[in-house]
Amino acid sequence: MLVRRQPHLAFAMTCAAITAATTTNITDVRAEGPRPERESVHYFAETPLPTTASVPTESLPPQARAQLRHSAEIAHTVRTDTPRGYKLRRGSIDQKRFIYKSAEVWAIEANCTPSECRPVQQVKLRFKQNVQGGSSKRWHLTMYSQPHSGPRSFRTAWSYQCGVNPSGETDKTCSTWKTDGSDGADAGVGAHGKEIRKGFGSTGNVKKFPMFKIDVTFADGSRARGDDGNYGEKFRGWDTCVKARSTKLCTTTGKGA
């Protein structure tokens, strides 16, 4: 037997179905809400980010916060007498073996919202200066670069210049200060343990120091910026007291800042 539905009953059932579907869609959208905008920052810092928890965005260094579109921070340019902003990165000195080691520095790529950041990749860096001593006028510079967290693949490049610290004057570069056999500026690529050997010239009774920059390219092709806003972290080496027969690391050093 054919049963005919009442017109008003069919209409009520159709409205109920539409209402249910519409209500479900609205509920889903409200529950999800707008997703916070995420941005990447690429910088160097004296300490790494924790790998198990996020950190407040406001705790990042000023040069990192300045990379965020929502930030009112202005990138800080380091002003220093040392050419192009090279600074002594703390560290330790072994006078007996003529060795200076910089403090560790981390190249950091982080993913941030306006309120918090998490690391994507972190690379640990360090720079070592070894003066040969005695009548030698050469130093060995070693670049250390190791994965700390995130992807293990990355690339490092370096650049070198020799500095002069004349007493009471603005620091200069060896290649522009005087012709005395010092090696000029140089650059290349390298990995962990890369050693660069350079001559710093024969002029006596003057202080000279290496300037060494490490440029880090992360696994995704992005690069870290230094505290002057440019790519790469700049290390100033320890002052070397050049003498005819007793060249060694000076007791004290300029810091470049």
Side-chain angles (χ1 to χ4, degrees):
M1 181 178 65
L2 180 64
V3 179
R4 296 181 178 274
R5 293 182 179 178
Q6 297 296 325
H8 65 277
L9 180 59
F11 178 75
M13 292 173 64
T14 302
C15 290
I18 294 174
T19 301
T22 304
T23 302
T24 301
N25 290 339
I26 292 175
T27 302
D28 289 345
V29 172
R30 287 179 179 176
E32 182 178 337
R35 295 182 179 180
E37 185 178 10
R38 305 194 73 88
E39 299 179 67
S40 292
V41 293
H42 315 85
Y43 65 101
F44 295 91
E46 295 181 352
T47 56
L49 294 179
T51 58
T52 57
S54 60
V55 299
T57 301
E58 62 184 17
S59 69
L60 267 57
Q63 69 270 20
R65 296 198 302 268
Q67 296 179 28
L68 299 171
R69 287 193 297 271
H70 67 268
S71 175
E73 295 284 344
I74 298 175
H76 175 60
T77 299
V78 176
R79 298 190 180 278
T80 165
D81 289 339
T82 311
R84 296 177 293 179
Y86 289 80
K87 304 195 304 184
L88 195 77
R89 306 287 171 179
R90 299 183 295 108
S92 62
I93 183 171
D94 184 337
Q95 289 283 11
K96 292 182 179 180
R97 296 195 298 161
F98 312 139
I99 293 175
Y100 162 71
K101 296 179 181 180
S102 76
E104 292 175 336
V105 175
W106 281 263
I108 299 174
E109 177 184 9
N111 197 314
C112 300
T113 69
S115 61
E116 64 179 22
C117 294
R118 285 181 175 272
V120 175
Q121 184 175 10
Q122 301 186 94
V123 179
K124 183 171 65 175
L125 307 171
R126 185 165 57 86
F127 159 75
K128 184 177 78 171
Q129 169 192 356
N130 186 186
V131 178
Q132 288 187 241
S135 60
S136 171
K137 302 298 181 285
R138 298 184 67 80
W139 46 41
H140 299 176
L141 311 174
T142 309
M143 174 180 71
Y144 298 96
S145 54
Q146 299 171 281
H148 179 74
S149 69
R152 297 187 64 82
S153 63
F154 62 91
R155 300 191 305 275
T156 49
W158 59 270
S159 63
Y160 163 84
Q161 177 60 281
C162 174
V164 185
N165 185 5
S167 179
E169 297 181 38
T170 300
D171 292 351
K172 306 180 187 302
T173 63
C174 295
S175 56
T176 60
W177 175 70
K178 191 174 183 177
T179 303
D180 64 353
S182 64
D183 291 329
D186 196 7
V189 296
H192 180 65
K194 172 68 176 179
E195 186 177 273
I196 296 93
R197 302 187 180 202
K198 296 293 180 182
F200 48 80
S202 58
T203 302
N205 300 316
V206 68
K207 297 176 181 179
K208 295 192 174 183
F209 57 93
M211 295 182 289
F212 197 78
K213 182 174 74 171
I214 304 177
D215 190 354
V216 176
T217 301
F218 297 109
D220 63 2
S222 60
R223 295 162 66 192
R225 292 183 179 273
D227 52 15
D228 63 352
N230 297 316
Y231 291 123
E233 182 76 326
K234 299 170 181 175
F235 296 82
R236 184 201 194 278
W238 196 275
D239 278 347
T240 299
C241 289
V242 184
K243 303 284 185 179
R245 296 185 179 181
S246 59
T247 296
K248 58 184 179 180
L249 292 176
C250 302
T251 304
T252 60
T253 187
K255 297 181 180 179

